[in-house]
Amino acid sequence: MAMTPFNPSRRQLLAMIGQVAGTAAMYQAMTSLGLAQESGYTGPPDLQGPRQGRRVLILGAGIAGMAAAYEMRRAGYEVKILEYQNRQGGRCLTIRGGDRYTEMGGHEISCDFQGDGYFNPGPWRLPVHHRAVFAYCRRLGVPMQPFINKNNKAYLHSAHAFGGQPQRIGHVEKDMRGHVSELLAKSLRQGELDEAVSPEDREKLLEGLKEWGVLDRNYRFSVSDDLGDVRGWDTRPGGGLMPEKSPSQPIDLSPLLQSGLWDQLFNFNGYQFEPPMFEPVGGMDRITDAFAREVADVIQLNARVTRIAQNDNSVTVTYEDGGQGGTVRQESADWCICTIPLSVLVQLDVDCSDAMRKAIAAVPYASAFKVALEFRRRFWEQDDWIMGGISYTDLPLVQIAYPNYGFLSDGPAVLQAAYDTATAGRNFTYSWSSMTPQERIDAALALGRQIHPQYDAEFMSGTSWVWHRVDWSLGCYGQWTEDLRDEHYQTLCEIDNRLVLAGEHCSHIPAWLEGSLLSALDAIRRLDQRENA
Amino acid sequence: MAMTPFNPSRRQLLAMIGQVAGTAAMYQAMTSLGLAQESGYTGPPDLQGPRQGRRVLILGAGIAGMAAAYEMRRAGYEVKILEYQNRQGGRCLTIRGGDRYTEMGGHEISCDFQGDGYFNPGPWRLPVHHRAVFAYCRRLGVPMQPFINKNNKAYLHSAHAFGGQPQRIGHVEKDMRGHVSELLAKSLRQGELDEAVSPEDREKLLEGLKEWGVLDRNYRFSVSDDLGDVRGWDTRPGGGLMPEKSPSQPIDLSPLLQSGLWDQLFNFNGYQFEPPMFEPVGGMDRITDAFAREVADVIQLNARVTRIAQNDNSVTVTYEDGGQGGTVRQESADWCICTIPLSVLVQLDVDCSDAMRKAIAAVPYASAFKVALEFRRRFWEQDDWIMGGISYTDLPLVQIAYPNYGFLSDGPAVLQAAYDTATAGRNFTYSWSSMTPQERIDAALALGRQIHPQYDAEFMSGTSWVWHRVDWSLGCYGQWTEDLRDEHYQTLCEIDNRLVLAGEHCSHIPAWLEGSLLSALDAIRRLDQRENA
């Protein structure tokens, strides 16, 4: 873009600095307001603590249950967690070589990864505005590394477009930007938007479109060295007397629109997926492990809850103690925080209002699946220049995610080779769920080799995870609709006598750790208020 | 976007997989071609080696000189490097607490950082298509980590817009996308682009604009929960019974266009800056340190070259040996590879063609400066949610870059608090260059506190780097124009009898390590061919 050259002298520069210095204090007030406004997490909960010795029984040692236990104990409550599994962490888990798991239906899932690659069947990436997650990771000492979500070198792919050849994300993005800019510039220059855009804005907008879309002097999106500088090269600029550079050729508007690849690009559009995203170093279970370090002493594993009874003064939970051959036991407490997924809770015998019972039964659980494959080498980095990020396809594997650690290393590495949750637009999840573990691996390989032909030569082993075959969650996350929320959400979250529910299903951020944490923080805040009312 | 639901049965899915499996082989051939095409780096140089014992003298122990020495020695040449400084690495350097440097004009630059933060005065980020850099980092074992270049939470700022309040990059980006989509949809729906866009394409384009720009059913860019999901929230979705979410308010088109912030966004447009970018773990000098581990035994430091003489059979280089009180010495060799910056070389006595001498004198060197500041805490992460990335401003500090390591840690951390190179549009660099080191720190503080008011309370110490005050480079990089290239580039790169030049100035990628490496690789390939001709 043509800009007026601005070459201040040293004296002018120092004068500028003097002029602006006074405005900082005013701005400080503004920005503090703006930041406080957006945050759902406002710091550690300010609990008063119990008026006298009080016992809180927490059901489920996922992140919601452990966070509740951590904060309630700090505030002076006596806490105990009952957990169905022989591990803590809930749906925030990481699978590594040597892990074994028997899914519903009797299939054993094995993970035979040879290298240090791993696989997160549940949550796997964190947006930075998920402040509760970040605050606890900081407090509990969980190191973070960038999770590359959008990688312009990764692929968008349709089996029905461009002869099945994947296209780089950056190419689709910049070509659509160029075509859109050219079309809008055309309209603007023909005076067709004069009612909508003032002459001053029109000038700025045309200038901007030219730069943003890389249009030529006639406002056309065409091949040029300027386009090479933005879109990339067929022959890249070299050193010494290497061959002359030549810019790459954009894809025409019509085949691009008809390919559906632009739509795939919208997978990166959401606020949850804005750059940068993060992940804990070493696997998602580092987060729940950090909580477990704080509260392991109050977790009882292998405790299968069958009944939650309550009266005006206390809660009594009946459970089978798997550590004692299934002996039936009971625990009583003043309060109960239940984080058991609704899909499981609906099958238990719970004393609560009819309205809450209806709410518990009303929310369906989303299905979701993932397949992970280990390969002998990082061919995606070495051959395709894809370092981290995600490729999307209209094949039923939906997406391939590349590891964001161990870059450039030799030896085996793990791809998240298929992943989807049921959405309004498509549902591959039931088909994958009904396959055997071996069929899932075969399917991920047969489909994925269309995008990465190196699959055939480099495959070592695979594993998979199907949330509807997990007996302790019976699905992936609470799948709310607006109608369901209007009818049931308030009831589900309200304290029912001595009982309150928490977990991602009791939040407006289902499926995310942040939803679980905020739900737990809000529940204990209200419970503490009730205690002190 | 409305999509036809696609719910294949398990049987249909397995059938699909069978159908597509046959196409992979065909595609494999296509993709191999596509990838080979774009690469400027095609693997380690295939050198024949000398016909008999041959000595190569290399001037300069930057990355070009060290890469040349590394490869030439592997091919059987005897190599020696003369380096002016008492360190290797050239312009690829990292400044840490305790470092001292006297710049031209006599000022001592000190770096008093207390924490483990560091500062890269020269190159600081690597695009993944810089394949030579990545190939050597892999060969030489330099671990890489993501460099977050574009962070949607970082700021765009104008002192003259929005009362001086910075705006989030993601907001500017998504608002402009929304306004552009709304305007183009308006034109399309009014039939004004029917000649340019077919009815089928028009439908797809309107559908896409609706999703991309987050337009409502009337194709207007307006506040909605859908917009919140893409742009963010004034009150974010919470857990339990936290306050109701409310979507954020987009910025209107006119103030946005007039603010100039959209133009700042174009800083992220270039192919060089596509996500993901990378940096070596621990500082940029880890790359040149890795080369030095391979060739340190052939580097003579403190060798100030004064004359390069040559005849048809050999080259003789005269230098002052700083290790021996400036004693004048000579080294002879069969070939000489000179990587000395042209800005310095032009002052030496060099036997070469008149045309090459003119070329050496013709290329000006770009000015550039950086200021780095250490603060007591990562307020940008803790208060502003900015984890890595770059904020841009129209203030003369131009940009603030946040560290991409040590996320969430307590204690001091370092910002690259001001950085610019001279461009056609603006030139702040001479003003900063003419300030004293203390004035530069004061200026970076006084300007930067407008974007981060926390500067005042958290500042610890600062340091700076001004490339025109560096006696061994006299500027930052070779600033070619198209006219200069047409006239001088070929001559500059050709072998002149026994002498060949290399370095970023002998490349089409000036200022980047990749340019230096490709230049060196091309020079030694041609030199080896000449040797064996």
Side-chain angles (χ1 to χ4, degrees):
Chain A
M1 172 169 304
M3 288 168 56
T4 312
F6 178 45
N7 306 311
S9 69
R10 172 170 174 276
R11 181 178 299 193
Q12 286 170 318
L13 194 64
L14 291 172
M16 276 182 73
I17 293 165
Q19 285 161 20
V20 298
T23 64
M26 186 184 68
Y27 162 64
Q28 185 156 26
M30 295 163 67
T31 190
S32 305
L33 277 174
L35 289 170
Q37 221 175 6
E38 199 191 351
S39 176
Y41 175 75
T42 51
D46 186 20
L47 305 180
Q48 294 185 56
R51 289 178 301 178
Q52 58 188 83
R54 292 292 188 189
R55 189 155 198 261
V56 181
L57 198 56
I58 297 168
L59 308 183
I63 197 166
M66 291 194 291
Y70 174 70
E71 295 292 357
M72 291 296 272
R73 180 155 67 172
R74 286 169 60 94
Y77 293 88
E78 185 197 337
V79 296
K80 172 154 191 177
I81 304 180
L82 296 179
E83 166 55 45
Y84 170 72
Q85 295 187 72
N86 62 356
R87 56 170 280 277
Q88 79 288 327
R91 281 163 280 176
C92 183
L93 78 169
T94 302
I95 303 297
R96 300 180 178 84
D99 286 342
R100 295 283 178 278
Y101 176 71
T102 302
E103 61 180 26
M104 287 169 67
H107 295 302
E108 186 178 67
I109 300 281
S110 61
C111 177
D112 299 318
F113 296 159
Q114 301 291 306
D116 55 7
Y118 51 82
F119 164 48
N120 298 310
W124 55 306
R125 49 188 172 175
L126 304 166
V128 293
H129 62 275
H130 282 185
R131 299 313 293 168
V133 177
F134 279 84
Y136 279 104
C137 285
R138 185 164 167 240
R139 270 166 82 181
L140 303 179
V142 180
M144 288 281 195
Q145 65 196 12
F147 175 100
I148 297 166
N149 196 61
K150 177 158 173 276
N151 175 344
N152 277 26
K153 298 293 188 290
Y155 295 128
L156 303 177
H157 171 264
S158 167
H160 312 290
F162 307 114
Q165 188 162 20
Q167 305 296 313
R168 301 268 192 199
I169 284 171
H171 288 166
V172 171
E173 179 177 56
K174 287 166 178 174
D175 291 348
M176 275 311 304
R177 197 188 278 173
H179 292 304
V180 162
S181 295
E182 178 180 309
L183 287 171
L184 182 54
K186 193 182 180 81
S187 268
L188 286 165
R189 295 175 77 221
Q190 290 173 355
E192 288 157 359
L193 291 162
D194 285 359
E195 282 182 33
V197 184
S198 74
E200 298 76 27
D201 291 348
R202 184 175 167 278
E203 276 319 293
K204 289 275 185 195
L205 187 51
L206 278 169
E207 263 181 54
L209 290 171
K210 205 174 193 172
E211 180 97 359
W212 193 51
V214 199
L215 308 182
D216 64 19
R217 73 180 63 180
N218 298 314
Y219 295 88
R220 303 296 297 234
F221 180 53
S222 61
V223 179
S224 69
D225 281 357
D226 285 345
L227 184 61
D229 281 336
V230 167
R231 189 192 191 277
W233 307 87
D234 278 350
T235 305
R236 288 193 304 120
L241 302 178
M242 285 180 173
E244 284 282 300
K245 69 186 178 187
S246 68
S248 62
Q249 304 283 322
I251 309 168
D252 286 342
L253 177 61
S254 184
L256 196 48
L257 284 173
Q258 298 303 326
S259 73
L261 298 194
W262 192 28
D263 310 62
Q264 290 182 17
L265 196 60
F266 305 151
N267 283 303
F268 300 105
N269 220 15
Y271 189 59
Q272 310 276 41
F273 304 114
E274 283 200 336
M277 301 187 78
F278 282 81
E279 64 182 2
V281 176
M284 285 296 292
D285 62 0
R286 297 295 162 92
I287 297 178
T288 34
D289 286 354
F291 277 99
R293 280 197 299 275
E294 303 292 331
V295 297
D297 59 312
V298 298
I299 301 176
Q300 179 170 343
L301 299 175
N302 301 305
R304 179 182 183 157
V305 172
T306 55
R307 166 147 174 72
I308 305 171
Q310 60 170 326
N311 56 39
D312 288 349
N313 300 313
S314 69
V315 185
T316 301
V317 171
T318 307
Y319 66 97
E320 298 166 7
D321 185 346
Q324 301 289 327
T327 310
V328 174
R329 295 185 188 280
Q330 290 192 327
E331 288 273 354
S332 290
D334 301 290
W335 299 103
C336 178
I337 301 170
C338 174
T339 73
I340 297 172
L342 301 181
S343 47
V344 175
L345 188 60
V346 69
Q347 304 180 28
L348 308 188
D349 185 5
V350 183
D351 284 351
C352 64
S353 69
D354 285 350
M356 182 179 266
R357 191 168 294 114
K358 276 185 195 150
I360 290 170
V363 184
Y365 265 52
S367 62
F369 74 95
K370 287 186 183 178
V371 180
L373 302 175
E374 187 180 44
F375 294 96
R376 288 189 182 81
R377 67 182 183 93
R378 294 174 177 251
F379 55 82
W380 51 92
E381 295 184 1
Q382 295 159 18
D383 305 350
D384 297 69
W385 317 354
I386 298 173
M387 314 255 294
I390 303 173
S391 290
Y392 282 93
T393 173
D394 60 3
L395 295 173
L397 66 82
V398 181
Q399 57 175 278
I400 297 173
Y402 310 93
N404 294 294
Y405 53 90
F407 296 109
L408 299 188
S409 61
D410 292 319
V414 172
L415 293 186
Q416 185 178 294
Y419 166 44
D420 201 25
T421 59
T423 67
R426 62 166 185 258
N427 191 347
F428 298 126
T429 59
Y430 294 119
S431 310
W432 287 83
S433 299
S434 64
M435 292 186 199
T436 67
Q438 185 60 49
E439 283 174 337
R440 291 173 212 151
I441 294 166
D442 292 345
L445 280 171
L447 294 165
R449 67 202 284 271
Q450 290 190 78
I451 296 164
H452 290 293
Q454 303 98 323
Y455 268 29
D456 292 336
E458 309 295 350
F459 173 68
M460 293 174 67
S461 73
T463 190
S464 64
W465 194 271
V466 165
W467 280 104
H468 260 96
R469 289 184 177 270
V470 173
D471 63 347
W472 44 267
S473 75
L474 300 173
C476 190
Y477 59 89
Q479 201 168 22
W480 288 96
T481 61
E482 279 188 41
D483 287 347
L484 282 174
R485 279 210 194 266
D486 288 346
E487 198 174 342
H488 297 295
Y489 183 78
Q490 177 85 17
T491 307
L492 193 75
C493 295
E494 276 174 354
I495 298 173
D496 184 305
N497 207 1
R498 319 300 296 178
L499 172 70
V500 66
L501 307 191
E504 56 82 23
H505 49 280
C506 293
S507 83
H508 291 274
I509 322 170
W512 292 86
L513 290 182
E514 182 79 356
S516 303
L517 277 176
L518 292 183
S519 151
L521 293 175
D522 186 66
I524 63 174
R525 218 180 269 124
R526 286 182 289 123
L527 199 151
D528 181 68
Q529 280 168 4
R530 182 77 62 97
E531 164 69 22
N532 290 284
Chain B
M1 172 169 304
M3 286 166 60
T4 311
F6 179 44
N7 305 313
S9 69
R10 172 170 173 273
R11 182 178 299 193
Q12 286 171 321
L13 193 66
L14 292 172
M16 276 183 72
I17 293 164
Q19 285 161 20
V20 299
T23 65
M26 187 184 70
Y27 162 65
Q28 185 155 25
M30 295 161 67
T31 191
S32 305
L33 277 173
L35 288 168
Q37 220 175 6
E38 198 192 352
S39 176
Y41 175 75
T42 52
D46 185 20
L47 305 180
Q48 293 185 56
R51 288 178 303 178
Q52 58 188 83
R54 294 291 190 190
R55 189 154 199 262
V56 181
L57 200 55
I58 297 168
L59 308 183
I63 197 168
M66 290 194 291
Y70 174 69
E71 295 291 357
M72 292 295 271
R73 180 156 67 170
R74 285 169 61 95
Y77 294 89
E78 185 196 337
V79 296
K80 173 155 191 176
I81 305 180
L82 297 179
E83 165 56 45
Y84 170 73
Q85 295 185 74
N86 62 356
R87 55 170 280 278
Q88 80 288 327
R91 281 164 280 177
C92 182
L93 79 167
T94 302
I95 303 297
R96 300 181 178 84
D99 286 342
R100 296 280 179 280
Y101 176 73
T102 303
E103 60 179 26
M104 287 170 65
H107 295 302
E108 186 178 68
I109 301 281
S110 62
C111 177
D112 299 317
F113 296 159
Q114 302 292 306
D116 55 7
Y118 50 82
F119 165 49
N120 299 309
W124 55 308
R125 48 187 171 174
L126 304 166
V128 293
H129 63 274
H130 282 185
R131 298 313 294 169
V133 177
F134 279 85
Y136 278 104
C137 285
R138 186 164 167 240
R139 270 166 81 182
L140 303 179
V142 180
M144 288 281 194
Q145 66 195 12
F147 176 100
I148 297 166
N149 196 61
K150 176 158 174 276
N151 176 345
N152 277 26
K153 299 292 189 292
Y155 294 128
L156 303 177
H157 171 262
S158 167
H160 311 292
F162 308 114
Q165 187 162 19
Q167 304 297 311
R168 302 267 191 199
I169 283 171
H171 289 167
V172 171
E173 179 177 56
K174 287 167 178 175
D175 291 347
M176 275 311 303
R177 196 188 279 173
H179 292 304
V180 162
S181 295
E182 178 180 310
L183 287 171
L184 182 53
K186 194 183 180 80
S187 268
L188 286 165
R189 295 176 78 221
Q190 290 172 355
E192 288 157 2
L193 291 162
D194 285 357
E195 282 182 33
V197 183
S198 74
E200 298 77 28
D201 290 347
R202 182 175 167 280
E203 276 319 293
K204 288 274 185 196
L205 187 52
L206 278 169
E207 264 181 55
L209 290 170
K210 204 174 193 175
E211 180 97 358
W212 193 52
V214 198
L215 308 183
D216 64 19
R217 72 181 62 182
N218 300 314
Y219 295 88
R220 303 294 300 231
F221 180 54
S222 61
V223 180
S224 68
D225 281 357
D226 286 345
L227 184 61
D229 281 335
V230 166
R231 189 193 191 275
W233 306 87
D234 279 351
T235 305
R236 288 194 302 122
L241 302 178
M242 287 180 171
E244 284 283 299
K245 68 186 178 186
S246 67
S248 61
Q249 304 283 322
I251 310 168
D252 286 342
L253 178 62
S254 184
L256 196 47
L257 284 173
Q258 298 303 326
S259 73
L261 299 195
W262 192 30
D263 309 62
Q264 290 183 17
L265 196 60
F266 305 151
N267 283 303
F268 301 103
N269 221 14
Y271 189 60
Q272 310 275 40
F273 303 114
E274 284 200 334
M277 301 189 76
F278 282 81
E279 64 182 1
V281 176
M284 285 298 292
D285 62 359
R286 297 295 162 92
I287 297 179
T288 35
D289 285 355
F291 276 100
R293 280 196 299 274
E294 303 291 331
V295 298
D297 58 311
V298 298
I299 302 175
Q300 180 170 343
L301 298 174
N302 300 304
R304 180 183 182 152
V305 171
T306 55
R307 168 148 173 72
I308 304 169
Q310 61 169 326
N311 56 38
D312 288 348
N313 299 314
S314 69
V315 184
T316 301
V317 171
T318 307
Y319 66 98
E320 297 167 6
D321 185 346
Q324 301 288 328
T327 310
V328 174
R329 297 186 186 279
Q330 290 192 325
E331 288 273 355
S332 289
D334 301 290
W335 299 103
C336 178
I337 301 171
C338 174
T339 72
I340 297 171
L342 301 180
S343 48
V344 174
L345 188 60
V346 70
Q347 302 180 30
L348 307 188
D349 186 3
V350 183
D351 283 352
C352 64
S353 69
D354 285 352
M356 183 179 268
R357 190 169 294 111
K358 276 185 194 154
I360 290 169
V363 184
Y365 265 51
S367 63
F369 74 96
K370 288 186 183 176
V371 181
L373 303 176
E374 187 180 44
F375 294 95
R376 285 187 185 85
R377 66 180 183 97
R378 294 174 176 250
F379 54 81
W380 51 92
E381 295 184 1
Q382 295 159 18
D383 306 349
D384 296 70
W385 316 356
I386 298 174
M387 314 258 292
I390 303 173
S391 289
Y392 282 93
T393 172
D394 60 1
L395 294 173
L397 66 82
V398 181
Q399 57 175 277
I400 297 173
Y402 310 92
N404 293 293
Y405 51 91
F407 296 107
L408 300 188
S409 61
D410 292 319
V414 173
L415 294 186
Q416 186 178 291
Y419 166 45
D420 203 25
T421 58
T423 66
R426 59 165 188 259
N427 192 348
F428 299 125
T429 59
Y430 294 119
S431 309
W432 287 84
S433 300
S434 63
M435 291 186 199
T436 66
Q438 186 60 49
E439 284 174 335
R440 291 172 211 152
I441 294 166
D442 293 344
L445 280 171
L447 294 164
R449 66 201 284 273
Q450 290 189 78
I451 296 164
H452 290 293
Q454 303 99 322
Y455 268 29
D456 292 335
E458 309 295 350
F459 173 68
M460 292 174 68
S461 74
T463 191
S464 64
W465 195 270
V466 165
W467 280 105
H468 261 96
R469 288 184 178 270
V470 172
D471 63 348
W472 45 268
S473 74
L474 300 172
C476 190
Y477 59 89
Q479 201 168 22
W480 289 96
T481 62
E482 278 186 42
D483 286 348
L484 282 173
R485 281 214 192 262
D486 289 347
E487 198 173 343
H488 296 296
Y489 183 78
Q490 176 86 17
T491 307
L492 193 74
C493 295
E494 276 174 354
I495 297 172
D496 185 302
N497 206 2
R498 317 300 298 178
L499 172 69
V500 66
L501 307 191
E504 57 80 23
H505 49 280
C506 292
S507 83
H508 291 274
I509 322 170
W512 293 86
L513 290 181
E514 183 79 356
S516 303
L517 276 177
L518 292 183
S519 152
L521 293 175
D522 186 66
I524 62 174
R525 218 181 268 127
R526 286 182 288 122
L527 200 151
D528 181 67
Q529 279 167 5
R530 182 76 62 97
E531 164 71 22
N532 290 284

